Amino acid sequence: MVGRWRKPVAGMVLALAALSAAPAMAQNKTLTISWWGFNGDKLEEIILKPFRAQCGCDLVFETGNNADRLNKIKIRGGGGVDVVYLTDSYSQLGIQEGLFQPVDRAKVPNINGIYDIAKEPQGKFGPAYTVGRVGIIYDSAKVSTPITSWNDLWRDDLKRRVSLPGITTTAGPMTVLVAAGKAGVDPYKDESAAFKALEQLKPNVVKNYNTGSELVNLFSTGEVSVAMAQDFTLTQIQAAVPTVRWAELKEGDYATLNTVNIAKGAANPELAHQFINFILDPKIQQTLAERGVDAPVATAVQLTPEQASRWTYGQKMISSLRRLDYEKMNAAKTDWLDAWSEVFGK
C-alpha cells in the first residue's frame, strides 16, 4: 500500500554499478523498475529472485517517492525505466502527461483473475497490484459511542480529539470530499461550501498529521482518539493502543490503489508485460499477503481471519469501496491547497 514503513531494497547501488562494470552482463536483458524500494528483503525473496530465474534478466531499480520518480520520467520524456510503481493519484498524472503506454491485457493473463476494481482502474493503462482504503479509526476505550458515519467526525463529543491527514498526503484531499458530503455539495462545483464544513470541523481537530509514524505517536500519547487514516496504519497503532478499532462506515471507505505501468519509452516492453503478469500471479499475491507486504488483488488468494484482518480483502469489502475521480481531484488540488491553508493555517 501507499507510503508504508518498509525496509529499502539492499544492493540497488551495487546492482547499478555491476551493470555498468561487467561487459558480460551488458549482453543480458535488463528490466529497469521505478518503485519505492520498501520491504526489500521480502521482495527480493518473493518476487525479484524468482523473476530473475524465470526471465534470465538483470533487474535495475530507480527508487524514491511518487513525485520525485514521476518527475524524473517526465524530464526524460517517458524514458529511462520500463516498469513504474505509483499510487493511483500519481499514475493518473503520468497518464495525463502521456508518460505511459497502454498495457496489452493479452500479454498479462493473470489480470483476468484479479478484482474488477484492479483490472482497469485508469482505462487501458496499468492494473492495480494491491488495494487499500481510507476510513476512520478510533479508540473504543475513549469513544463510548461507536463511529458509524463520516459525519460523526463533527460530533460534539469529539471536540479536540480528532486528527486529519495533511492536505499534501495521500489521504489528505479526501478530507475535502468528506466535508463536501457533510455539506451535501459536489466538491468540484462548490468548493467554498466544502471548506466551510471543514471550518466547522476545526474545533474537533487537534492536529493534522503528515506521516504514519506521527499518527501512531498521537494515539499512543493519548493526544487523539479519532483519525481519518489509511488502513496500513491500523496494525501499528493497535500495537501501541490495542483498543483502537476500524470504524464501519455506512457510506463506505475510500479506495486507494497502487498501480504498475509501462513507461512510454520502455526499452523492454515485452519484459515489462512479463513482470506485471508475474506479480499478479495468485501464488505470488498469496505470499505477499501472508508475509505482510501487500493486500492481494488476486481473487484466488485465501487468507485466515487473522491474516485478513490487516488488509483490504474479500469481495464484500472491495465492492463497498468508494472510487475517486483523480483527474478531477488533481485539477482541483492547487485551489484546495490554498483553501486548506486558510482554514488550518490560522
Side-chain angles (χ1 to χ4, degrees):
M1 212 37 49
V2 179
R4 298 175 197 271
W5 316 300
R6 294 183 275 194
K7 188 175 179 181
V9 171
M12 289 181 180
V13 175
L14 292 177
L16 286 165
L19 183 63
S20 60
M25 290 181 65
Q27 299 177 9
N28 292 349
K29 295 181 294 182
T30 300
L31 183 72
T32 303
I33 302 170
S34 171
W35 65 358
W36 299 276
F38 301 132
N39 236 343
D41 292 343
K42 291 180 180 179
L43 290 176
E44 172 64 29
E45 177 188 349
I46 300 168
I47 294 178
L48 304 182
K49 184 177 179 179
F51 184 72
R52 287 192 196 96
Q54 174 181 297
C55 71
C57 61
D58 301 317
L59 302 178
V60 176
F61 305 91
E62 184 168 271
T63 61
N65 64 34
N66 286 286
D68 289 345
R69 291 185 294 107
L70 185 61
N71 189 53
K72 288 178 182 178
I73 296 169
K74 181 179 179 180
I75 291 171
R76 297 191 298 253
V81 297
D82 299 301
V83 173
V84 188
Y85 282 70
L86 292 168
T87 61
D88 46 2
S89 61
Y90 282 91
S91 56
Q92 182 62 45
L93 287 173
I95 290 168
Q96 292 171 216
E97 293 283 352
L99 302 180
F100 306 140
Q101 60 179 271
V103 170
D104 186 346
R105 265 64 186 171
K107 297 178 181 179
V108 189
N110 284 327
I111 280 183
N112 296 323
I114 66 178
Y115 293 113
D116 288 343
I117 194 175
K119 288 179 179 178
E120 293 185 342
Q122 293 162 323
K124 61 186 178 180
F125 296 94
Y129 67 89
T130 188
V131 59
R133 54 187 170 147
V134 172
I136 296 174
I137 56 176
Y138 68 99
D139 187 346
S140 60
K142 296 181 178 179
V143 179
S144 56
T145 303
I147 292 175
T148 60
S149 169
W150 284 108
N151 291 342
D152 286 347
L153 291 173
W154 280 260
R155 281 180 2 198
D156 291 340
D157 63 309
L158 300 184
K159 193 173 296 292
R160 301 294 297 168
R161 303 177 75 179
V162 175
S163 183
L164 297 178
I167 190 65
T168 60
T169 67
T170 297
M174 299 176 202
T175 60
V176 182
L177 305 186
V178 171
K182 170 69 172 176
V185 300
D186 182 333
Y188 306 111
K189 295 180 179 179
D190 194 349
E191 170 192 307
S192 61
F195 277 92
K196 184 177 180 180
L198 279 176
E199 183 80 46
Q200 294 167 348
L201 177 60
K202 188 177 178 181
N204 286 9
V205 179
V206 177
K207 186 176 183 180
N208 298 320
Y209 69 92
N210 291 304
T211 65
S213 57
E214 185 179 2
L215 183 59
V216 172
N217 186 60
L218 287 170
F219 269 94
S220 61
T221 59
E223 292 180 69
V224 303
S225 50
V226 180
M228 181 175 172
Q230 288 183 259
D231 61 347
F232 73 83
T233 63
L234 181 61
T235 299
Q236 293 198 19
I237 292 173
Q238 286 180 327
V241 186
T243 49
V244 167
R245 300 287 181 266
W246 187 272
E248 298 296 327
L249 304 177
K250 63 182 181 182
E251 304 94 342
D253 300 324
Y254 288 99
T256 59
L257 306 177
N258 277 4
T259 63
V260 57
N261 270 281
I262 300 175
K264 179 180 178 181
N268 288 291
E270 294 300 318
L271 197 56
H273 280 91
Q274 185 180 342
F275 181 81
I276 293 174
N277 192 59
F278 187 84
I279 65 173
L280 296 180
D281 184 288
K283 294 180 181 178
I284 298 295
Q285 290 264 310
Q286 178 84 36
T287 305
L288 289 171
E290 290 177 348
R291 297 287 299 278
V293 179
D294 279 314
V297 292
T299 59
V301 172
Q302 297 293 317
L303 301 178
T304 67
E306 182 179 359
Q307 292 168 338
S309 65
R310 69 183 303 172
W311 299 126
T312 300
Y313 165 78
Q315 186 60 56
K316 182 179 179 180
M317 183 179 291
I318 296 291
S319 61
S320 72
L321 297 176
R322 305 171 70 178
R323 290 299 314 279
L324 302 172
D325 187 334
Y326 279 110
E327 189 169 1
K328 286 185 177 180
M329 183 179 288
N330 288 336
K333 270 184 182 180
T334 300
D335 290 339
W336 288 2
L337 284 168
D338 293 338
W340 180 275
S341 296
E342 286 294 316
V343 174
F344 292 105
K346 298 176 183 179

